[in-house]
Amino acid sequence: MGKIPLGGGEINGHNLFDQVITHANLQLAWRKFSRGKSRKKDVREFSKRLEYNLLKLHYLLLSGGYRHSGYVSFFVADPKLRHIHKAAVVDRVVHQAIVQIIEPLFDPGFIFDSYSSRSGKGTHRAVAKLRQSARKLSRNNTRDVWFLKCDIRKFFDSISHGILLSLLSRKICDRRLLDLLENIIGSFHVMPEIGIPLGNLTSQLFSNIYLNELDQFAKRRLSIKHYIRYADDFIIVGTDRAYLETLINIFHDYLSRSLELDLHPRKIALRPWHQGIDYLGYVIFPHHTILRRKTGKRMIRRINRKVLAGASADELGATAQSYLGILSHCRGFGWQKRTAQAVFPS
């Protein structure tokens, strides 16, 4: 398997389980996990006996006595209602420790245009690549360009444990690590052997491993050049509307047959570029990009809630700066003005 980077050094790709449970890796996992969470009650409690808790975790993992605990369930609006399952602190440290070791095994095999939960990627790069692809195909707006946008229905709730473990075992030969991964994957289900939780760090990596099969199908088997995926949303840019339309059934059949997933029938869009394409919070047109109206309204609502809750000037300022950063990627003067008015009402 070669060498896998950890922090500033390298560790051998064999005996992955041993690499996961080293004290150095668990300490690094704690530091990364706990960053920005020091005020959380459960994190404070774990940190009071940090060395003891990490040493205990090491021996539980080493002896095979570790078992993933249950989840705390809650909903968040982001913007649609999402059902989040939060694991215990000790389990989240394990998730982080695993990802640190196995992500470098899988990430080099992902396609370039997979933009979710990957270092150096993200929504803004995905939107920029979409615009770049459309401009290239349009040949200076001399050809019509079309977008086919698809969404996978209830993706996290539909992931097959068996298929996921099979995909993991392609690169992981260490039986003890596979048993640990099976322990984590089996700690949650929507139906027997189906579904992974939204709240786990491991779920972000698992989702990319799972949907890399779709990415490879699109790029290698179908030879689609302008294909972009962010989480469970993927989009194809092309000049042949009829061909893009045929892809809908092709993707539907592949997802159903190979990954036991379905396209969301109400979230399939086939649109010409001049009408604008709604993607990752923005609406992209040939000559400009604007913020999706729902996104802008949500930003203002969140600021208003913070103002009513008595948030400090520093907290409001940080929130405003974050939103102004989002607006810097589009034509958003009106939303910039409304953001400033919400933070500093006259």
Side-chain angles (χ1 to χ4, degrees):
M1 291 184 189
K3 299 281 187 176
I4 307 171
L6 173 62
E10 287 187 332
I11 55 180
N12 196 279
H14 299 286
N15 302 318
L16 293 173
F17 180 80
D18 290 335
Q19 296 167 29
V20 167
I21 71 170
T22 63
H23 199 56
N25 192 52
L26 292 176
Q27 285 180 321
L28 179 61
W30 164 258
R31 290 197 299 273
K32 287 187 174 181
F33 157 73
S34 62
R35 194 175 297 148
K37 302 183 183 76
S38 59
R39 294 184 180 181
K40 302 286 185 180
K41 183 179 177 181
D42 53 354
V43 177
R44 287 202 316 269
E45 287 299 315
F46 193 91
S47 67
K48 286 178 182 177
R49 304 182 70 193
L50 180 60
E51 288 304 316
Y52 169 80
N53 285 330
L54 292 181
L55 194 60
K56 179 182 176 183
L57 176 58
H58 167 80
Y59 281 112
L60 280 172
L61 289 164
L62 182 63
S63 66
Y66 168 81
R67 292 293 179 272
H68 199 287
S69 52
Y71 294 85
V72 175
S73 169
F74 57 94
F75 290 89
V76 296
D78 184 35
K80 64 182 180 182
L81 202 62
R82 295 184 184 273
H83 197 184
I84 305 296
H85 291 82
K86 178 181 172 184
V89 169
V90 65
D91 298 315
R92 285 182 281 166
V93 173
V94 173
H95 301 165
Q96 180 72 55
I98 290 171
V99 168
Q100 287 166 183
I101 297 300
I102 72 170
E103 187 172 44
L105 277 176
F106 288 93
D107 192 81
F110 296 157
I111 66 168
F112 181 85
D113 289 322
S114 163
Y115 286 91
S116 176
S117 304
R118 296 180 67 195
S119 177
K121 301 292 183 176
T123 57
H124 296 139
R125 288 179 185 263
V127 169
K129 183 57 183 287
L130 182 63
R131 174 172 284 282
Q132 178 188 359
S133 295
R135 279 178 173 167
K136 184 174 182 178
L137 285 175
S138 75
R139 293 180 182 171
N140 257 346
N141 293 317
T142 61
R143 291 197 305 181
D144 290 337
V145 170
W146 292 81
F147 297 97
L148 172 63
K149 189 176 77 162
C150 301
D151 180 280
I152 297 172
R153 178 160 50 187
K154 296 183 178 179
F155 170 58
F156 282 90
D157 285 351
S158 302
I159 288 178
S160 162
H161 292 185
I163 293 174
L164 176 57
L165 286 165
S166 175
L167 295 173
L168 289 165
S169 67
R170 288 183 185 176
K171 288 189 176 290
I172 298 172
C173 302
D174 189 321
R175 186 65 254 173
R176 291 178 300 168
L177 181 54
L178 286 172
D179 287 344
L180 177 58
L181 291 170
E182 189 170 2
N183 181 348
I184 292 169
I185 293 166
S187 69
F188 177 90
H189 63 268
V190 175
M191 296 183 291
E193 304 286 315
I194 301 290
I196 63 174
L198 267 173
N200 287 359
L201 178 65
T202 46
S203 294
Q204 297 175 17
L205 177 58
F206 292 162
S207 69
N208 275 333
I209 292 169
Y210 207 88
L211 287 182
N212 184 53
E213 299 301 297
L214 171 66
D215 300 341
Q216 298 297 335
F217 175 74
K219 299 291 283 186
R220 314 299 173 213
R221 293 274 300 280
L222 300 180
S223 300
I224 299 174
K225 189 172 183 180
H226 300 286
Y227 165 97
I228 296 165
R229 182 177 62 79
Y230 187 94
D232 57 351
D233 294 329
F234 60 97
I235 192 163
I236 299 106
V237 191
T239 56
D240 186 338
R241 184 190 189 282
Y243 171 67
L244 292 178
E245 196 164 15
T246 67
L247 289 177
I248 297 171
N249 283 334
I250 292 172
F251 280 121
H252 178 275
D253 291 345
Y254 174 79
L255 286 167
S256 176
R257 182 181 68 254
S258 299
L259 297 175
E260 298 180 8
L261 299 172
D262 292 316
L263 290 180
H264 198 305
R266 295 194 302 277
K267 294 185 178 179
I268 298 170
L270 182 56
R271 292 176 61 83
W273 191 15
H274 71 266
Q275 290 183 5
I277 184 69
D278 186 334
Y279 192 58
L280 301 178
Y282 298 96
V283 183
I284 303 155
F285 293 91
H287 300 292
H288 65 283
T289 299
I290 63 174
L291 193 70
R292 181 196 292 160
R293 188 169 181 80
K294 285 183 179 179
T295 305
K297 286 184 174 181
R298 187 170 71 252
M299 285 165 41
I300 301 303
R301 281 198 304 270
R302 286 178 176 174
I303 292 174
N304 288 337
R305 283 200 295 268
K306 285 180 180 288
V307 171
L308 290 173
S312 67
D314 286 345
E315 186 179 352
L316 288 172
T319 301
Q321 284 301 316
S322 173
Y323 290 159
L324 291 173
I326 293 171
L327 292 167
S328 69
H329 293 270
C330 66
R331 184 183 291 178
F333 177 75
W335 289 112
Q336 290 173 359
K337 186 175 180 181
R338 290 180 65 179
T339 299
Q341 289 173 341
V343 175
F344 307 109
S346 55

